Amino acid sequence: MLTTERNRIVEVRRAFPSLDEMTYLNVATHGLTPQPILDRYLELISLTARYGHMRYDDQDVPAYQRARSAVAGILDVPPTWVAFGRNATDGINQVLAGLAWQPGDEVIISDQEHPAVYLPWNYGARRGFFTPKTFTVDPDPAVTLRNLEEQITPRTRLIACSHVSSQTGIRLPGPAICALAQRLNDAGRDRPILTLIDGTQELGQWRVSVPAIGCDFYVSNGHKWLGGPKGSGILVVREQAFPLLTPPYMAGGIDDFEDHVEDVLNHRDAPRMFESGTQNLAVVTVLADLVNWLDNLGWSWIEERERNLAAYIRAQLRTVPGVTLLTPDAWEQSSAITSFTMEGMDALHIHRTLWDQRIIARWVPERNGIRIATPYFTIEEELDRLISALRRIRAA
Ligand SMILES: Cc1ncc(COP(=O)(O)O)c(C=O)c1O
């Protein structure tokens, strides 16, 4: 690695002092917040606790609006398409509870969904809203697409899936899935197929363009790859889909103190109408600071580093006896998540043994696997430490 690059990473890592205490490979569960952003977050909590508002002057609403614009910016959508909620789960439930289902509707999800998708889907099915169907994810996007196509019928109403699988790090062909739905819709259907993309495992890994994906609904959160606080759910609804969602409950939003029943009934101002009641100003506001931090690092630098680290860990894992990768090599088909199994070994045991050595990874119970996340601030030495630990676990 070039000295200038090395110096840059050393500098970036100063913002994450806890990395001196542990090898953290789990931002796919909980991100780490850069120290300057954490300082700002604590200041905002303190101001709102001590002064009620941010200070004497009423900066709350403009700050909130700035955060909405900043988040909209990294998703390439107008701010009016963005609503904040508690988490990604919230957004998924808003969509599944907000659509008007009709008898016979079918909802297709993939076989690698997080409980945030498959539980609301299962719940909706068991309440009789729709018939549940699944398609199998394959490392080859063409096979995934074919598997999905086989499940589509004239009754398909919604396709909901992750853009990056939280189990395997496989990047699903999101744009191709949405283009397929669009093609079928254009060919004429009684009820168009809607698309919901769960971008929880991609936002913060690279710059996302929701219009380029082409989905009707997009959900994510600020607390994983972005490194923000918990409670920062993001729901994006594209304008054409505004009339399709009816919020399950009614309340005023943070920057609208009027009674807006009329707006909600007429689907104006969606999806902001999902932000009911008083919001946590500090949580949302600090997202603007985070976006600024990541913009300053540079999205192409972030992605290039993640791509290199993913290639490095995969090559190293292959040298450990008994390891099978669950993640494909090609960056375009994967992400900065790498999952693997170790032949004949219990992944929970591996996970716990790693944690005992302060190597924080994630257990993937669905696959008896281990998941490693390698964000921009990870260094190769940390991955070498993981590999040595795995060799010792294997030999024990
Ligand atoms: C793919 C995916 N979707 C949804 C979620 C749930 O996110 P949240 O906790 O913000 O609801 C996760 C969390 O790990 C995830 O990996």
Side-chain angles (χ1 to χ4, degrees), residues 163-166 168-171 201-202 205-206 225 303 306-307 309-311 313-314 327-339 372-374:
H163 208 177
V164 169
S165 161
S166 64
T168 60
I170 291 176
R171 197 183 310 198
Q201 290 298 355
E202 74 169 341
Q205 284 207 41
W206 47 69
W225 295 87
E303 186 170 351
E306 287 168 349
R307 185 188 181 122
L309 289 163
I313 187 60
R314 289 168 199 170
T327 314
D329 279 328
W331 177 249
E332 293 70 21
Q333 294 167 20
S334 65
S335 63
I337 289 176
T338 301
S339 298
I372 302 299
T374 46

Side-chain angles (χ1 to χ4, degrees), residues 28 87-89 114 116 162 166 198 200-201 221 223-224:
N87 42 43
T89 304
H114 188 273
S162 304
S166 64
D198 175 358
T200 304
Q201 290 298 355
N221 64 38
H223 78 255
K224 293 184 189 284

Side-chain angles (χ1 to χ4, degrees), residues 283-343:
V283 166
V284 169
T285 302
V286 84
L287 292 180
D289 299 279
L290 254 178
V291 168
N292 194 28
W293 159 270
L294 294 166
D295 281 348
N296 283 338
L297 287 180
W299 287 95
S300 49
W301 180 79
I302 291 172
E303 186 170 351
E304 191 55 23
R305 253 204 82 62
E306 287 168 349
R307 185 188 181 122
N308 291 338
L309 289 163
Y312 184 83
I313 187 60
R314 289 168 199 170
Q316 295 304 311
L317 281 168
R318 285 207 168 85
T319 68
V320 181
V323 162
T324 301
L325 291 178
L326 301 173
T327 314
D329 279 328
W331 177 249
E332 293 70 21
Q333 294 167 20
S334 65
S335 63
I337 289 176
T338 301
S339 298
F340 61 93
T341 58
M342 271 173 95
E343 194 187 357

Side-chain angles (χ1 to χ4, degrees), residues 15-16 32-39 226-228 290 293 376:
F16 301 95
L32 299 185
T33 305
Q35 191 64 44
I37 310 300
L38 177 57
D39 293 344
L226 284 178
L290 254 178
W293 159 270
Y376 60 88

